Amino acid sequence: MKTQMKFALSALVLACTLGVSGCQTTNQTASVAETTNTFAMPEYQTVTLDNGLTLKLMVKKEVPIVTFNAVIKAGAVHDTTSGLADMTAKSLMLGAGGQSKAEIEQTLDFIGAKLMTAGGTDGSYVSSNFMAKDLDKVLPIFTDVLRNPDFDADEFTKLKQRTMVGLAQQKESPRRVIGRYFNQLVFNDHPYGNAASGFKESIEQMTVSQMRAFHKSYYQPNNIQVSIVGDFDIEAMKQQMQRAFGDWQSTEAIVANDLSKNLPSLQKSNVLLVDKPDAIETTFLIGGMGVSQSNPDIVGLTVVNTILGGRFTSWLNDELRVNAGLTYGARSAFVTYADAGVFRLSTFTKTSTTKEAIDLALKTYARLWEKGIDQATLDSAKAYVKGQFPPKFETSGQLAGLLSDQYLYGFGDEYINDFQARVDGVTLEEAQRLVKQYFPQDNLQYVLIGNAAEIADIAKQYGDVTQVDITSSGFGH
């Protein structure tokens, strides 16, 4: 769910019914795909209830399954304690509407339904996937989990313990946590430096009162969209959602912070060396500031990055894995958020080849400026990107996630409908512009996780070094 552009929805405005205010939009582009052989956004409707809750409804009758996906504009960037948004989302499952955690799980398991919650960087999610015939059983649970969580104290204590154990286990695998260290290095005190997972000490100190307060502040109907995709009758679904959510009222003003302000300016190269004494390999990320999900050049950047490190036959993978045998895989990516982002290239290698791998990665990265991209390579990347795009939006879950991303990141149908044309429009000259404008070249930032006793002198060669122990609290602040 990570590369989107910000556009306004172009759709037919209809009168709203069922006590619904605002507007209802119907996407009209599905038939275009049939005549032009290009992928287009399937038809859907957008409805806004009187209380501000947004609904997106997309009927897909091929399989008798329905997916609900609620997205709340409340993520790690809103944390007052590290991990608060994620823990609040997880706590929704600890009992709701007077039913215990065990009772909810038993009901869902009996009918083979799934209900999941999670907190991310920019938003939090409540999603459910179930057979269409079980709508009447799942919708009340979904509604209560979203609106009326109990935040059971005993269950919350157990959740905290499981979470702390999980965080400790994650630090045993550098590849699972290195991105959190990198964001902390790049963003520092900016909210985008917040680790959605939190860390041991922050989780340990959390209370049920904090969960309740966060839920009250952000889980309000005018701050939520529910996307519904699958086999259902659209008019009947509107009525059911009106009954389930129509009387829910917002109680507090939500202040929207502009996180594009006060972003860090990287004036020198820094190295965060994370000591893991038992490591036999070094895992590293190299990069800098990237772009937000609303950047209009995101499609072109996807094409160029595919060449550098976005597929198995990329430059980075060819040089570091295939030709040099230094790693099992190397890649690069623009990791995008609502108002910012990072660019990073990543790989891992045995401790003794740390310097060789870093230098080869940097040398390969420099090809973007020193040699550039030839036409055959560009054409291959464009064909690959176009071929990989439609399969990302085939299932009801994928489509519901897409509709949620539209709400959270503010892009419209044009991202889907114009994607292939935008890929086709990337010329050699355009690729060169994108490289010069967006790929960070100077003052690169480095995170190395490995045996510091073996690689500390190497780390000093790339910038000012800060060393932390991997078992220390947090992610290197």
Side-chain angles (χ1 to χ4, degrees), residues 161-176:
Q161 293 299 321
R162 292 194 300 270
T163 302
M164 288 187 289
V165 171
L167 286 168
Q169 292 174 338
Q170 288 171 23
K171 284 198 171 186
E172 289 299 314
S173 176
R175 274 169 269 173
R176 293 188 66 182

Side-chain angles (χ1 to χ4, degrees), residues 72-74 78 80 84-85 87-93 95-97 117 124 126 142-151 207-224 245 248-252 254:
I72 304 93
K73 292 182 178 178
H78 302 94
T80 53
L84 180 58
M87 285 296 286
T88 301
K90 290 176 179 176
S91 296
L92 301 178
M93 294 292 292
T117 62
S124 296
V126 179
F142 178 85
T143 303
D144 280 333
V145 166
L146 188 59
R147 291 184 55 175
N148 306 308
D150 293 336
F151 296 116
T207 66
V208 168
S209 295
Q210 287 178 290
M211 306 298 109
R212 294 186 187 280
F214 193 88
H215 183 270
K216 182 179 179 182
S217 295
Y218 294 105
Y219 284 67
Q220 303 189 67
N222 60 357
N223 198 42
I224 296 174
F245 293 102
W248 190 16
Q249 297 302 315
S250 299
T251 58
E252 297 184 14
I254 298 173

Side-chain angles (χ1 to χ4, degrees), residues 422-436:
R422 289 178 179 272
V423 172
D424 288 335
V426 179
T427 63
L428 287 175
E429 293 75 17
E430 175 68 359
Q432 184 178 27
R433 179 188 72 82
L434 294 171
V435 168
K436 290 181 178 179

Side-chain angles (χ1 to χ4, degrees), residues 388-461:
Q388 291 293 306
F389 189 67
K392 295 179 181 179
F393 308 110
E394 291 181 335
T395 69
S396 62
Q398 290 170 328
L399 289 165
L402 171 63
L403 294 172
S404 294
D405 282 351
Q406 285 186 320
Y407 177 75
L408 190 59
Y409 302 114
F411 65 95
D413 294 351
E414 289 82 356
Y415 173 69
I416 299 295
N417 298 335
D418 298 344
F419 186 89
Q420 296 190 42
R422 289 178 179 272
V423 172
D424 288 335
V426 179
T427 63
L428 287 175
E429 293 75 17
E430 175 68 359
Q432 184 178 27
R433 179 188 72 82
L434 294 171
V435 168
K436 290 181 178 179
Q437 184 171 347
Y438 295 110
F439 285 79
Q441 187 175 17
D442 301 317
N443 302 322
L444 294 175
Q445 308 297 299
Y446 300 74
V447 175
L448 282 65
I449 303 181
N451 187 335
E454 299 289 334
I455 63 176
D457 289 340
I458 296 171
K460 295 175 184 177
Q461 300 175 34

Side-chain angles (χ1 to χ4, degrees), residues 178-236:
I178 193 169
R180 285 170 249 179
Y181 282 102
F182 187 76
N183 275 18
Q184 179 68 82
L185 175 64
V186 170
F187 290 111
N188 200 3
D189 290 329
H190 189 278
Y192 277 119
N194 296 345
S197 65
F199 49 90
K200 180 179 181 294
E201 288 75 10
S202 68
I203 301 300
E204 191 171 30
Q205 296 168 9
M206 282 186 189
T207 66
V208 168
S209 295
Q210 287 178 290
M211 306 298 109
R212 294 186 187 280
F214 193 88
H215 183 270
K216 182 179 179 182
S217 295
Y218 294 105
Y219 284 67
Q220 303 189 67
N222 60 357
N223 198 42
I224 296 174
Q225 175 183 284
V226 180
S227 302
I228 307 169
V229 179
D231 183 10
F232 59 90
D233 178 84
I234 201 162
E235 295 303 323

Side-chain angles (χ1 to χ4, degrees), residues 176-438:
R176 293 188 66 182
V177 297
I178 193 169
R180 285 170 249 179
Y181 282 102
F182 187 76
N183 275 18
Q184 179 68 82
L185 175 64
V186 170
F187 290 111
N188 200 3
D189 290 329
H190 189 278
Y192 277 119
N194 296 345
S197 65
F199 49 90
K200 180 179 181 294
E201 288 75 10
S202 68
I203 301 300
E204 191 171 30
Q205 296 168 9
M206 282 186 189
T207 66
V208 168
S209 295
Q210 287 178 290
M211 306 298 109
R212 294 186 187 280
F214 193 88
H215 183 270
K216 182 179 179 182
S217 295
Y218 294 105
Y219 284 67
Q220 303 189 67
N222 60 357
N223 198 42
I224 296 174
Q225 175 183 284
V226 180
S227 302
I228 307 169
V229 179
D231 183 10
F232 59 90
D233 178 84
I234 201 162
E235 295 303 323
M237 182 63 76
K238 292 177 191 176
Q239 295 176 17
Q240 288 173 297
M241 297 302 287
Q242 173 67 27
R243 288 194 296 268
F245 293 102
D247 64 339
W248 190 16
Q249 297 302 315
S250 299
T251 58
E252 297 184 14
I254 298 173
V255 179
N257 296 325
D258 184 357
L259 297 177
S260 65
K261 295 180 178 178
N262 301 316
L263 289 168
S265 177
L266 304 176
Q267 300 297 322
K268 62 178 181 178
S269 289
N270 296 293
V271 181
L272 179 60
L273 175 58
V274 184
D275 184 26
K276 191 175 188 296
D278 63 344
I280 60 174
E281 64 185 22
T282 301
T283 303
F284 62 85
L285 286 182
I286 305 171
M289 295 296 293
V291 299
S292 69
Q293 297 211 26
S294 61
N295 190 291
D297 285 322
I298 197 68
V299 174
L301 290 172
T302 300
V303 174
V304 177
N305 182 69
T306 295
I307 296 168
L308 174 65
R311 60 177 175 176
F312 186 78
T313 57
S314 68
W315 289 353
L316 285 169
N317 206 55
D318 273 351
E319 293 297 335
L320 274 81
R321 173 180 168 146
V322 179
N323 298 336
L326 293 171
T327 183
Y328 287 110
R331 60 185 296 108
S332 61
F334 283 92
V335 181
T336 56
Y337 307 118
D339 294 300
V342 293
F343 169 80
R344 64 195 197 191
L345 57 87
S346 60
T347 191
F348 56 96
T349 190
K350 59 185 178 181
T351 302
S352 61
T353 56
T354 297
K355 178 172 171 53
E356 184 180 358
I358 293 174
D359 288 347
L360 184 56
L362 292 171
K363 180 181 178 181
T364 305
Y365 183 44
R367 283 174 59 182
L368 287 174
W369 294 272
E370 295 174 358
K371 295 184 179 180
I373 300 168
D374 61 75
Q375 189 65 55
T377 301
L378 179 61
D379 290 343
S380 174
K382 288 162 66 173
Y384 176 85
V385 170
K386 288 194 294 183
Q388 291 293 306
F389 189 67
K392 295 179 181 179
F393 308 110
E394 291 181 335
T395 69
S396 62
Q398 290 170 328
L399 289 165
L402 171 63
L403 294 172
S404 294
D405 282 351
Q406 285 186 320
Y407 177 75
L408 190 59
Y409 302 114
F411 65 95
D413 294 351
E414 289 82 356
Y415 173 69
I416 299 295
N417 298 335
D418 298 344
F419 186 89
Q420 296 190 42
R422 289 178 179 272
V423 172
D424 288 335
V426 179
T427 63
L428 287 175
E429 293 75 17
E430 175 68 359
Q432 184 178 27
R433 179 188 72 82
L434 294 171
V435 168
K436 290 181 178 179
Q437 184 171 347
Y438 295 110

